[in-house]
Amino acid sequence: MALPDSCISGEEVPFPEIIELNVGGQVYITRYSTLTSVPESLLWEMFSRKSNKGLARDTKGRFFVDRDGFLFRYILDFMRDQQLVLPDHFPERGRLQREAEFFNLPELVKLLAPKISKQNSLGEEGCQSDPEDSSPGIDTARNLGSLGAAAAACASMVPGAMDGKRSGFITIGYRGSYTLGRDSQTDAKFRRVARIMVCGKTSLAKEVFGETLNESRDPDRPPERYTSRYYLKFTFLEQAFDKLADAGFHMVACNSTGTCAFAHEQTDDKIWTSYTEYVFYRE
């Protein structure tokens, strides 16, 4: 049985009324009553116990849950009012259904299941990267009218790409700087890459980079729209290249520009800044 918000006479309530959670690196602040609003759910079991000992915490003392921090906001919204409200063109219903199953929320699983079943009529290896809801603004060629049309679209892809992957471009860009000594007699000193930008179709970027893609600057971008505001959570170009190669992309072009920002007054060393782009394509 869930403990009430107020203190019980003679006993210490193990949880405060306001609780801070760290879910996959995302911080949430909510009420104790919200976390215990769905009986028999995982969160209800965690926060209905008589002691908070044994629950994982981060370095700041917040309760830690090792799940998808972005999708947890929809889990928490559902626990507040038992309703499911998703943004238009929401591309991650399958992953959200998996989160609902993990948190033991059967009603939420039911709300997600009908659309999932329609989308996955081809099976688990169908063209899942297509949008789930048709829209007048989406290319009508992607609005497959029947199972046969969907199968034909998958079969028309090149061999080795029969898992529903679609063609498209992804551009990787980064800014860098380096110091060049007088008359180029000394070795150039490079600074590390501060941020790797990702440009391209949202659905392709999420497919390739998954959890390593930072969407905080454009969080609700529809899957069929393009964006240039995503960036990666790591700073090694080789990691980005490996992920693109694993997804079947090949580099087709690259370019770089550089300008001399200023020269050091005492050493005459020149500070150069550059911007480089790599264009990848998958047939």
Side-chain angles (χ1 to χ4, degrees):
M1 180 179 296
L3 296 174
D5 291 348
S6 58
C7 294
I8 302 175
S9 177
E11 297 183 6
E12 181 182 356
V13 177
F15 299 100
E17 181 180 357
I18 305 300
I19 295 179
E20 291 189 45
L21 297 174
N22 179 345
V23 183
Q26 300 291 325
V27 177
Y28 292 88
I29 301 177
T30 187
R31 295 178 63 89
Y32 172 84
S33 57
T34 299
L35 297 176
T36 56
S37 62
V38 181
E40 309 303 328
S41 67
L42 177 63
L43 292 172
W44 180 87
E45 292 180 358
M46 289 175 58
F47 293 97
S48 294
R49 57 179 64 187
K50 296 181 179 180
S51 172
N52 57 30
K53 294 182 179 180
L55 295 181
R57 293 176 180 263
D58 64 9
T59 56
K60 295 186 177 180
R62 295 174 294 220
F63 294 103
F64 179 76
V65 182
D66 189 16
R67 299 300 295 183
D68 190 310
F70 173 77
L71 293 178
F72 184 74
R73 60 176 174 172
Y74 303 109
I75 299 293
L76 196 58
D77 282 345
F78 176 80
M79 298 191 70
R80 290 188 178 110
D81 52 23
Q82 312 299 303
Q83 294 183 2
L84 174 64
V85 180
L86 298 176
D88 295 336
H89 312 291
F90 185 70
E92 298 183 296
R93 296 184 70 98
R95 293 178 60 189
L96 181 57
Q97 184 185 28
R98 184 179 63 185
E99 295 300 301
E101 293 171 350
F102 174 83
F103 285 103
N104 196 20
L105 298 171
E107 293 302 320
L108 181 56
V109 174
K110 291 179 182 179
L111 291 175
L112 291 164
K115 289 187 178 182
I116 289 295
S117 61
K118 292 178 182 178
Q119 178 66 18
N120 289 351
S121 57
L122 280 173
E124 289 301 319
E125 296 186 358
C127 298
Q128 297 183 21
S129 57
D130 285 340
E132 297 173 351
D133 299 315
S134 24
S135 170
I138 300 177
D139 186 354
T140 55
R142 302 195 187 280
N143 295 330
L144 304 178
S146 65
L147 177 61
C154 289
S156 65
M157 298 179 180
V158 295
M162 300 301 291
D163 54 356
K165 297 179 179 179
R166 293 179 295 169
S167 63
F169 290 89
I170 289 181
T171 300
I172 300 296
Y174 75 94
R175 297 187 183 277
S177 63
Y178 57 93
T179 303
L180 194 62
R182 179 187 304 176
D183 298 327
S184 302
Q185 296 300 315
T186 57
D187 293 336
K189 299 178 181 178
F190 291 87
R191 298 182 183 178
R192 71 179 183 87
V193 177
R195 179 171 292 179
I196 302 175
M197 305 299 299
V198 177
C199 306
K201 185 173 291 186
T202 299
S203 58
L204 286 179
K206 291 183 177 181
E207 173 198 332
V208 173
F209 297 107
E211 296 298 325
T212 63
L213 188 70
N214 194 319
E215 310 168 35
S216 59
R217 297 174 62 191
D218 202 357
D220 297 318
R221 195 71 168 174
E224 295 305 307
R225 299 289 298 276
Y226 290 83
T227 181
S228 61
R229 296 176 60 81
Y230 291 166
Y231 61 94
L232 300 180
K233 296 179 181 179
F234 52 80
T235 58
F236 294 95
L237 284 172
E238 291 79 6
Q239 287 181 263
F241 294 166
D242 286 345
K243 287 184 174 295
L244 286 160
D246 291 342
F249 283 80
H250 301 276
M251 187 186 301
V252 295
C254 66
N255 66 82
S256 181
T257 60
T259 59
C260 182
F262 62 90
H264 196 283
E265 295 180 357
Q266 297 179 355
T267 64
D268 289 338
D269 289 352
K270 295 181 179 180
I271 308 297
W272 290 80
T273 60
S274 64
Y275 178 74
T276 305
E277 286 186 340
Y278 303 92
V279 181
F280 291 82
Y281 177 70
R282 182 173 68 190
E283 295 182 351

